[in-house]
Amino acid sequence: MTSTTTETNERSAARRRVPRQARSRARVEAVLDAAAALVVEHGVEALTTRAIADAAGVPVASLYQYFADKEDVLLALADRDMAEMDEQVLSDLATLPVLTVASVVETTMRAFVTVYHRRPAFVEIWLRGRTNTALHDYGREHNRRIAATLRALALETGLADEGLAEHVALLAVEVGDRCFQLAFEHDAQGDPALVEEGIALVTAYLERHATPAGRTGVPQPGSGEGRP
Amino acid sequence: MTSTTTETNERSAARRRVPRQARSRARVEAVLDAAAALVVEHGVEALTTRAIADAAGVPVASLYQYFADKEDVLLALADRDMAEMDEQVLSDLATLPVLTVASVVETTMRAFVTVYHRRPAFVEIWLRGRTNTALHDYGREHNRRIAATLRALALETGLADEGLAEHVALLAVEVGDRCFQLAFEHDAQGDPALVEEGIALVTAYLERHATPAGRTGVPQPGSGEGRP
Amino acid sequence: MTSTTTETNERSAARRRVPRQARSRARVEAVLDAAAALVVEHGVEALTTRAIADAAGVPVASLYQYFADKEDVLLALADRDMAEMDEQVLSDLATLPVLTVASVVETTMRAFVTVYHRRPAFVEIWLRGRTNTALHDYGREHNRRIAATLRALALETGLADEGLAEHVALLAVEVGDRCFQLAFEHDAQGDPALVEEGIALVTAYLERHATPAGRTGVPQPGSGEGRP
Amino acid sequence: MTSTTTETNERSAARRRVPRQARSRARVEAVLDAAAALVVEHGVEALTTRAIADAAGVPVASLYQYFADKEDVLLALADRDMAEMDEQVLSDLATLPVLTVASVVETTMRAFVTVYHRRPAFVEIWLRGRTNTALHDYGREHNRRIAATLRALALETGLADEGLAEHVALLAVEVGDRCFQLAFEHDAQGDPALVEEGIALVTAYLERHATPAGRTGVPQPGSGEGRP
DNA sequence: AATGAATGAGGATTCATTCAT
DNA sequence: TATGAATGAATCCTCATTCAT
């Protein structure tokens, strides 16, 4: 299995006019942290460049040294947590001795919940901030990437065969995503009942597209010599 | 069975400060038509009071005679089409001689598609306009109402029993909604494959919560003395 | 002879999005007066919307009620004085018992000087403010109009015949304009010697394109029953 | 006759804080070439330090190593072409066997046209870029210098006598300049008719200030032992 | 009921220029 | 000499909404 998303999920190239490498690490992080705090407190819609700059203790103009524009800050924020999300999913899946559609779905979705719990800002940005167009698009795009990765995993391991269309995988991810949005809408911890139902829902759907082995289980591939 | 939503779907009471009766019918319709056209052409985000007023040929200030605020226009627009949606769903369901979870889900979802095809503005507002906070909330609320109605129908007809939790019904509706969002994202007619998958997905999920009769079928209740 | 410019010189229609009639006279004048004062004091380049608004005692937003944008204010300012300029030219020309190229040129150019003396802001805007693109364009356009009007006069009265090309008239006006720019560059009253030279220059040039009568003189047409 | 302008036309001393010698020739030229290209493509107003730096492939900060500030780049650009202009005028004038006011004016003005044709960037900067304050001032200043030089030539050769005031010479140059601005406003090649008229105009004016010999002709001074 | 007029309240960006290294 | 990084300082403009009439 490979990374959930290719590299740390690079945002649309066109957008990133600012050389990421060049960013002064510490200050950039300060800006992101400040933005995250503001988002948790007031929501994505209320975020303004001045608020971020003030909270981070940098001039507004410096924001534009590190980020292409305001939305780029938001996307960087999403990127940061999403990278962690990807890692969590990967490492959790790696612990499974036996893979089934059900166990993969459950493990993946619980990994999401784990990160949501750890990152309140991510809940605000990723689950509740979708009214922001940039985040909306980012969400679609990332879901597409996740779907592709998980589909690849399923094909590699034999949980599914080529008959598993890409749009089916995407639908599963999108739908799981919506379950989380619902579960975390008013509840910072996520309504457990809704999370359970979400897992059941996605599982039920994907089992329809699974191979017999996908339902009964296949051993974790390369158990022992997994790739870095 | 009763109306899919109670009355013509009253938007949050607090919002509607303007007496509906008082509205000068013709002008209100002109405003809504103008807004609908603008939304179809430029999307929900680009809608401004002045644009609406200009397009409708009324002074901006008059908008506030008919609507509480800008978002109220949007909601009225949604209401208008949503009422039609509810009717379509009801009448289509009424034609079913035998109800099953599968047939109810399919009929309902196809009724949605029918209206989406008929109302391009509705696609723009309801499926693509969710970046607007008011519409986002309206969507959640309406989905909740649809879920309640359909759940009531399922309980009445025996497709499901009391064990069918409200949040399960809501999840099904929300998830179906997401399928439509995906299907209509770039395609004004809706990607047929995604629609099919959506139907399959919701059906698979709800059959898990159905009674045996829900899977085999129950006769259309009161077949012969249909509702008004 | 007709008006120097058709109507009060309407600025490019495209620009004027704001209905002039609707403007609350007094406030608009206040804005223009404030802007004029600022221009005289700090020059055209230094003019900002906030400075204008503050000086006029109106909110910045109100500026946009009366004017399409910042440049529109400048153009309105130019319009105001230019209308006066046109009138001065017309009435001064009307007093000439006999018209010659020389007398028309001299009278016209002295009328300009008269208005420049009366309107310091006009000197700043019209003669020194040409670094502003909008004013630059306005200048070209107005010069074109003046040239057309004066050429028409020359043809009507026989000072010149059809051989007087439009671009010749324009060149004469543009060149006279440059003389004024030079004369008033550092001198609020205009360097008299340069003004004289300017008159001589334009006269010498246009006499090359004049009819014999244009050099010897023709009676003021309609002397006695002039047009309204 | 001496150089049209003293040395390579030194821009206002105060401005040039950067030692010319110190400039890394190649990079300086790269910057100027890049700036010239940008000016031709987007006009003077659109020029920014970053655009120049990017196009030239040097860091923005390095610009300040070679030039005092942004406008200094523009002025250096103007200088470069203006030096060529001066040379063209001088060499063209040197070919005249007989000097008259008319031939000097015509030769000079045609030399300008020659260079305008050769240097599109110069047209953009010198003729169309006058909305830039620095260039506006540079223009005035250079015209003054040209006027002084040509007046000196006229006095030396006897085309005019001491009665030819400096401001007369300046007016002639300024007015010729305006003719070019008009001729090249929309036409990269310059409207020939306007150029002709301009020559006629300036000639007609200066002949009023010429000596009889200025009208009939004087031999090219030192024909045979030209200047270095 | 209708509306012309007014405005409060921001908000995102751009850019030339300067230093510390 | 070269330059990556930082930033001070403004600026224009939009828009929803409210009154007085």
Side-chain angles (χ1 to χ4, degrees):
Chain A
M1 174 182 27
T2 35
S3 76
T4 303
T5 62
T6 318
E7 303 168 40
T8 181
N9 184 307
E10 37 191 338
R11 278 145 15 221
S12 73
R15 177 166 273 289
R16 192 200 287 161
R17 289 167 254 161
V18 180
R20 200 53 82 88
Q21 312 309 64
R23 290 181 189 174
S24 177
R25 266 297 197 186
R27 305 194 90 209
V28 173
E29 290 303 316
V31 168
L32 289 179
D33 291 341
L38 288 168
V39 160
V40 171
E41 191 168 5
H42 303 110
V44 165
E45 301 285 273
L47 207 61
T48 69
T49 53
R50 209 165 65 183
I52 299 173
D54 288 353
V58 303
V60 180
S62 290
L63 255 48
Y64 290 84
Q65 183 100 164
Y66 313 136
F67 302 95
D69 53 29
K70 198 186 77 167
E71 311 220 292
D72 195 36
V73 178
L74 238 21
L75 297 184
L77 225 41
D79 262 1
R80 207 166 59 157
D81 291 334
M82 190 55 86
E84 185 175 332
M85 175 68 79
D86 291 343
E87 285 167 28
Q88 185 74 42
V89 169
L90 291 183
S91 60
D92 286 4
L93 284 177
T95 66
L96 290 178
V98 174
L99 302 182
T100 60
V101 164
S103 73
V104 167
V105 168
E106 173 163 15
T107 302
T108 299
M109 290 183 75
R110 292 209 190 283
F112 270 73
V113 172
T114 299
V115 177
Y116 290 144
H117 284 175
R118 199 156 58 214
R119 300 276 183 205
F122 196 43
V123 171
E124 203 60 52
I125 293 168
W126 177 252
L127 296 182
R128 297 175 186 163
R130 239 61 150 258
T131 48
N132 176 286
T133 305
L135 287 177
H136 175 89
D137 294 344
Y138 176 87
R140 261 298 181 281
E141 185 48 33
H142 197 86
N143 281 344
R144 210 170 293 277
R145 195 137 33 196
I146 293 174
T149 302
L150 292 177
R151 175 170 176 273
L153 166 67
L155 297 192
E156 282 176 30
T157 55
L159 295 176
D161 58 31
E162 291 295 340
L164 179 67
E166 286 179 358
H167 69 257
V168 168
L170 175 58
L171 199 62
V173 172
E174 284 284 342
V175 142
D177 179 48
R178 179 67 140 251
C179 294
F180 287 133
Q181 286 190 300
L182 213 53
F184 286 82
E185 185 165 32
H186 306 296
D187 185 340
Q189 295 306 302
D191 179 332
L194 277 171
V195 171
E196 296 310 313
E197 282 301 315
I199 292 171
L201 184 153
V202 176
T203 303
Y205 175 59
L206 285 179
E207 286 194 332
R208 291 171 43 96
H209 294 275
T211 56
R215 269 169 296 237
T216 55
V218 299
Q220 172 78 247
S223 27
E225 89 263 22
R227 267 174 320 71
Chain B
M1 179 179 29
T2 36
S3 77
T4 303
T5 62
T6 317
E7 304 164 40
T8 181
N9 184 307
E10 40 189 337
R11 277 138 24 211
S12 70
R15 182 163 273 290
R16 191 200 291 159
R17 288 163 253 163
V18 180
R20 195 59 79 92
Q21 311 310 65
R23 288 181 190 175
S24 172
R25 265 294 194 188
R27 303 195 94 199
V28 172
E29 290 303 315
V31 169
L32 289 179
D33 291 341
L38 289 170
V39 161
V40 170
E41 189 167 9
H42 304 110
V44 166
E45 300 285 272
L47 207 62
T48 68
T49 52
R50 212 170 64 183
I52 299 174
D54 288 354
V58 303
V60 179
S62 293
L63 256 47
Y64 291 84
Q65 204 92 115
Y66 316 135
F67 302 94
D69 54 29
K70 194 187 80 163
E71 314 222 287
D72 194 36
V73 177
L74 238 22
L75 298 185
L77 224 42
D79 263 2
R80 209 165 56 155
D81 290 333
M82 191 55 88
E84 184 175 332
M85 175 68 80
D86 291 344
E87 284 165 27
Q88 184 75 42
V89 169
L90 291 183
S91 61
D92 285 5
L93 283 177
T95 67
L96 291 178
V98 174
L99 302 181
T100 60
V101 164
S103 72
V104 166
V105 167
E106 174 164 13
T107 302
T108 300
M109 291 182 76
R110 292 209 189 283
F112 271 73
V113 172
T114 299
V115 176
Y116 291 144
H117 284 175
R118 200 156 56 214
R119 300 276 184 206
F122 196 42
V123 170
E124 205 59 53
I125 293 169
W126 177 251
L127 295 182
R128 298 176 184 162
R130 236 66 147 254
T131 49
N132 176 286
T133 306
L135 286 177
H136 175 91
D137 295 344
Y138 176 88
R140 261 299 180 280
E141 185 49 32
H142 197 86
N143 281 344
R144 211 170 291 279
R145 194 138 30 197
I146 294 174
T149 303
L150 292 178
R151 176 172 175 270
L153 166 67
L155 297 193
E156 283 174 28
T157 57
L159 295 176
D161 59 29
E162 291 295 341
L164 178 67
E166 286 179 356
H167 69 256
V168 168
L170 175 58
L171 198 62
V173 172
E174 284 282 343
V175 143
D177 178 49
R178 180 66 142 252
C179 294
F180 287 132
Q181 286 191 301
L182 212 52
F184 286 81
E185 186 165 32
H186 305 297
D187 186 341
Q189 295 306 304
D191 179 332
L194 277 171
V195 170
E196 296 311 311
E197 281 301 314
I199 292 171
L201 185 154
V202 176
T203 302
Y205 174 59
L206 285 178
E207 286 194 332
R208 291 172 45 95
H209 293 277
T211 56
R215 268 168 297 235
T216 56
V218 299
Q220 172 78 247
S223 28
E225 88 261 22
R227 276 167 314 76
Chain C
M1 177 181 28
T2 33
S3 76
T4 303
T5 62
T6 318
E7 303 167 41
T8 182
N9 185 306
E10 38 191 337
R11 272 132 32 209
S12 71
R15 178 165 272 290
R16 191 201 289 162
R17 290 166 252 163
V18 180
R20 201 53 82 86
Q21 311 311 63
R23 289 181 188 172
S24 175
R25 267 295 196 188
R27 304 194 91 208
V28 173
E29 290 303 316
V31 169
L32 288 179
D33 291 341
L38 288 170
V39 161
V40 170
E41 192 168 5
H42 304 109
V44 165
E45 301 285 273
L47 207 60
T48 69
T49 53
R50 208 166 65 186
I52 300 174
D54 288 354
V58 304
V60 178
S62 291
L63 254 48
Y64 289 85
Q65 183 99 167
Y66 313 137
F67 302 96
D69 52 30
K70 196 186 78 165
E71 310 220 293
D72 195 38
V73 178
L74 237 21
L75 297 185
L77 225 41
D79 262 2
R80 206 166 59 156
D81 291 334
M82 191 53 88
E84 185 175 332
M85 175 68 80
D86 292 342
E87 284 165 29
Q88 185 74 43
V89 169
L90 292 183
S91 59
D92 286 3
L93 283 177
T95 67
L96 290 178
V98 174
L99 302 182
T100 60
V101 165
S103 71
V104 167
V105 168
E106 172 163 16
T107 302
T108 300
M109 291 183 75
R110 291 210 191 285
F112 271 72
V113 173
T114 299
V115 177
Y116 289 145
H117 284 174
R118 200 156 57 214
R119 300 276 183 204
F122 195 42
V123 170
E124 204 60 52
I125 294 169
W126 177 252
L127 296 182
R128 297 175 184 161
R130 242 52 155 263
T131 47
N132 177 286
T133 304
L135 287 177
H136 175 91
D137 294 345
Y138 177 88
R140 258 305 178 276
E141 185 48 32
H142 198 86
N143 281 343
R144 211 170 292 277
R145 195 136 34 196
I146 293 175
T149 304
L150 292 178
R151 175 171 175 273
L153 166 67
L155 297 193
E156 282 175 30
T157 56
L159 296 176
D161 57 31
E162 291 295 340
L164 178 67
E166 285 179 357
H167 69 256
V168 167
L170 175 59
L171 199 62
V173 173
E174 284 283 341
V175 142
D177 180 49
R178 180 66 143 253
C179 294
F180 287 132
Q181 286 190 300
L182 212 53
F184 286 82
E185 185 165 33
H186 306 297
D187 186 342
Q189 294 307 302
D191 179 332
L194 277 171
V195 170
E196 295 312 311
E197 282 301 314
I199 292 172
L201 185 154
V202 176
T203 302
Y205 175 59
L206 285 179
E207 285 195 333
R208 291 171 44 97
H209 294 277
T211 56
R215 268 167 297 233
T216 55
V218 298
Q220 173 77 247
S223 25
E225 88 262 23
R227 271 173 318 70
Chain D
M1 177 177 28
T2 35
S3 77
T4 303
T5 62
T6 318
E7 302 165 41
T8 183
N9 185 308
E10 37 189 340
R11 276 142 18 217
S12 70
R15 183 163 271 291
R16 191 201 290 159
R17 286 163 255 164
V18 181
R20 195 60 79 91
Q21 310 310 65
R23 289 182 189 172
S24 173
R25 264 298 195 188
R27 303 195 92 201
V28 173
E29 289 304 314
V31 168
L32 289 179
D33 290 342
L38 288 170
V39 160
V40 170
E41 190 167 9
H42 304 110
V44 166
E45 300 284 274
L47 207 62
T48 69
T49 53
R50 211 170 64 184
I52 299 174
D54 288 354
V58 302
V60 180
S62 293
L63 255 46
Y64 291 83
Q65 204 92 118
Y66 317 135
F67 301 94
D69 54 29
K70 193 186 81 164
E71 313 223 287
D72 194 37
V73 177
L74 237 23
L75 297 185
L77 224 43
D79 263 2
R80 208 165 57 156
D81 291 333
M82 191 53 88
E84 186 175 331
M85 176 68 80
D86 292 342
E87 284 165 29
Q88 185 75 42
V89 169
L90 292 182
S91 59
D92 285 4
L93 282 178
T95 67
L96 289 179
V98 174
L99 302 183
T100 59
V101 164
S103 71
V104 168
V105 167
E106 173 164 15
T107 302
T108 300
M109 290 183 76
R110 293 208 190 284
F112 271 74
V113 172
T114 299
V115 176
Y116 290 145
H117 284 176
R118 199 155 59 215
R119 300 274 185 209
F122 196 42
V123 170
E124 205 59 53
I125 293 169
W126 177 251
L127 295 182
R128 297 176 184 161
R130 238 64 148 257
T131 48
N132 176 287
T133 304
L135 287 177
H136 175 91
D137 295 344
Y138 176 88
R140 262 296 182 282
E141 186 49 32
H142 197 86
N143 282 343
R144 210 170 292 277
R145 195 138 31 198
I146 293 175
T149 303
L150 291 178
R151 176 171 175 273
L153 166 68
L155 297 193
E156 281 174 31
T157 57
L159 295 176
D161 58 29
E162 291 296 341
L164 179 68
E166 286 180 357
H167 69 256
V168 167
L170 175 59
L171 198 61
V173 173
E174 284 283 343
V175 143
D177 179 49
R178 179 66 142 254
C179 293
F180 287 133
Q181 287 191 300
L182 212 52
F184 286 82
E185 185 165 34
H186 306 297
D187 185 342
Q189 295 307 304
D191 179 332
L194 277 171
V195 170
E196 295 311 311
E197 282 300 314
I199 292 171
L201 186 153
V202 176
T203 303
Y205 175 59
L206 285 178
E207 286 194 331
R208 291 171 45 97
H209 294 276
T211 56
R215 268 168 296 233
T216 56
V218 299
Q220 171 77 245
S223 27
E225 87 261 21
R227 274 165 319 73

